[in-house]
């Protein structure tokens, strides 16, 4: 089985599970899918999951700053200026290695605006969603390896066990 087909199967199964879990826990399913998508769009390195979690969370915090800050600067022209300032800072934070996954930051920010700043629902939805993204890809790659004939595995492979 190809890696794509294996990942597609595990993604389908775990997507259904996430939909049920989000509904059961009262979370926001589509926000969780943004967390999942953030992980899938990452580089897949060992740091990908913690970086996704950190950047999604920081994006949520940036959005809350804009939402709550509008009390001070209003909803006029200054709000657009502040949006530009915050977008710039979201990119600049990428100078920090652990916060360098800028698309993950913007995904967390967008989720927060889309869910009207309900951070008590957004945060667990994003974080659990990212964990589901990791599980989808990891289990798909595991399934791919398990379906390969033994003759295609390298000699002395850890995959043989």
């Amino acid at each position: 089985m190809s890696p794509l087909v294996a990942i597609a199967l595990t993604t389908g199964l775990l997507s259904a599970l996430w939909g049920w879990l989000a509904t059961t826990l009262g979370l926001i399913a589509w926000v969780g899918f943004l967390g999942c998508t953030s992980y899938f769009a990452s580089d897949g390195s060992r740091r990908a999951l913690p970086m996704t979690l950190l950047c999604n969370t920081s994006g949520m915090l940036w959005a809350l700053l804009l939402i709550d800050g509008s009390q001070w600067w209003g909803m006029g022209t200054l709000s657009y200026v502040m949006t530009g300032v915050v977008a710039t800072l979201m990119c600049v934070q990428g100078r920090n290695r652990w916060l360098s996954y800028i698309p993950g930051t913007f995904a967390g920010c967008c989720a927060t605006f889309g869910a009207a700043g309900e951070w008590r629902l957004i945060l667990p939805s994003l974080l659990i969603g990212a964990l589901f993204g990791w599980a989808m890809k990891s289990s798909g790659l595991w399934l791919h390896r398990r379906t390969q004939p033994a003759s295609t595995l390298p000699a002395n492979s850890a995959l043989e066990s």
Side-chain angles (χ1 to χ4, degrees):
M1 176 181 315
S2 76
L4 179 62
V5 169
I7 291 171
L9 290 173
T10 59
T11 297
L13 177 66
L14 290 173
S15 290
L17 180 60
W18 165 246
W20 171 82
L21 184 64
T23 301
T24 302
L25 297 177
L27 298 174
I28 307 170
W30 68 265
V31 170
F33 279 115
L34 278 177
C36 174
T37 301
S38 294
Y39 176 77
F40 263 99
S42 71
D43 66 6
S45 68
R46 288 184 314 129
R47 294 189 324 227
L49 181 59
M51 287 176 69
T52 298
L53 297 170
L54 288 169
C55 290
N56 280 176
T57 302
S58 75
M60 181 196 73
L61 294 173
W62 285 116
L64 291 173
L65 173 68
L66 285 171
I67 291 168
D68 293 340
S70 66
Q71 299 171 40
W72 298 314
W73 53 71
M75 296 301 290
T77 302
L78 190 53
S79 69
Y80 301 125
V81 171
M82 292 309 298
T83 298
V85 168
V86 167
T88 300
L89 293 173
M90 287 168 54
C91 294
V92 169
Q93 85 175 13
R95 291 175 57 195
N96 178 295
R97 174 177 136 174
W98 290 101
L99 298 173
S100 63
Y101 182 41
I102 295 168
T105 303
F106 275 87
C109 186
C110 292
T112 305
F113 280 112
E118 293 292 331
W119 70 270
R120 287 175 188 87
L121 295 175
I122 297 162
L123 185 60
S125 298
L126 277 172
L127 299 181
I128 296 170
L131 291 171
F132 264 82
W134 172 83
M136 291 169 183
K137 189 168 186 178
S138 297
S139 61
L141 293 174
W142 173 85
L143 180 60
H144 163 69
R145 287 190 303 270
R146 299 299 289 178
T147 60
Q148 295 305 297
S151 62
T152 63
L153 295 174
N156 298 322
S157 170
L159 300 176
E160 291 174 345
S161 56

